[in-house]
Amino acid sequence: MNSRSKSFVYAAVIALVIVAIFLGFLSSLTNPISWLLIVALLLIPVFYKKTEPSNIINWKESYNVGITHIDQDHKKLIKLLNQFTLAYDHAMSEEFEKQALNELVDYTVYHFEREEKMMREHDYPEFVAHQAKHQEMIAQVNEFVDLYDKKGHDALKEISEFLTVWLISHINGTDKEYSQYLNDQGVH
């Protein structure tokens, strides 16, 4: 069952429980069934949250690369990726989905430019290879934006999964490689 259908089912169950509570209270305010249904109504969000798989990425200290402003950029990228993933998971409006995707893409480009400037300034020996990875990523993201423009919401799962895997592997892979070099150069 997709997230839209699941949300609809939960909304319908909540509406039915509210109607049953109301009807029960029409007969008597001491009707125990109505009070039990109120408890059930309060537990529905807890049950929903437990059954909903979480695609949210939580920042881990192991993601730190040891360069404060780069770590801050990475935290913001994860926040934007989570915002984008929530837009997908909860089938937000097309406008919100597009805005979340554009913010993520724009900040990714900004972050790559900052990284590349820092690498150039400190003569990072693997700069060209790292920059090529950034360019590949931007090209892939632009393809995803085009895919979203064509397919809309249906393209978001693929985009979210790709970006999640790519971001974490990039931080823990190539970013940790250059950060060690820059740390040795006195950049923190």
Side-chain angles (χ1 to χ4, degrees), residues 59 61 63-77 107 110-111 114-115 118 171 175 178-180 182-183 186-188:
W59 179 261
E61 290 303 311
Y63 298 157
N64 282 327
V65 297
I67 301 171
T68 304
H69 69 278
I70 297 299
D71 287 335
Q72 292 303 318
D73 280 2
H74 289 158
K75 287 176 185 177
K76 180 154 184 177
L77 284 168
Y107 198 82
Y110 165 76
H111 169 67
R114 280 178 58 149
E115 270 188 357
M118 187 178 54
I171 291 171
D175 282 1
Y178 82 72
S179 68
Q180 184 60 52
L182 293 174
N183 289 159
V187 179
H188 297 285

Side-chain angles (χ1 to χ4, degrees), residues 143-162:
E143 286 179 28
F144 280 134
V145 170
D146 292 342
L147 181 65
Y148 178 78
D149 289 339
K150 291 176 190 164
K151 291 175 68 177
H153 180 81
D154 295 336
L156 294 181
K157 182 177 182 184
E158 181 181 352
I159 297 169
S160 178
E161 289 173 354
F162 172 81

Side-chain angles (χ1 to χ4, degrees), residues 3-4 86-94 97 153:
S3 61
R4 285 183 185 191
L86 283 172
Y88 164 70
D89 285 346
H90 298 288
M92 306 281 188
S93 70
E94 184 177 320
E97 291 172 349
H153 180 81

Side-chain angles (χ1 to χ4, degrees), residues 10-24:
Y10 276 104
V13 168
I14 288 170
L16 287 172
V17 170
I18 289 171
V19 167
I21 291 169
F22 179 74
L23 291 174

Side-chain angles (χ1 to χ4, degrees), residues 12-43:
V13 168
I14 288 170
L16 287 172
V17 170
I18 289 171
V19 167
I21 291 169
F22 179 74
L23 291 174
F25 280 145
L26 281 177
S27 66
S28 167
L29 286 176
T30 59
N31 183 340
I33 294 174
S34 294
W35 291 104
L36 288 173
L37 288 173
I38 288 173
V39 171
L41 184 65
L42 295 173
L43 292 175

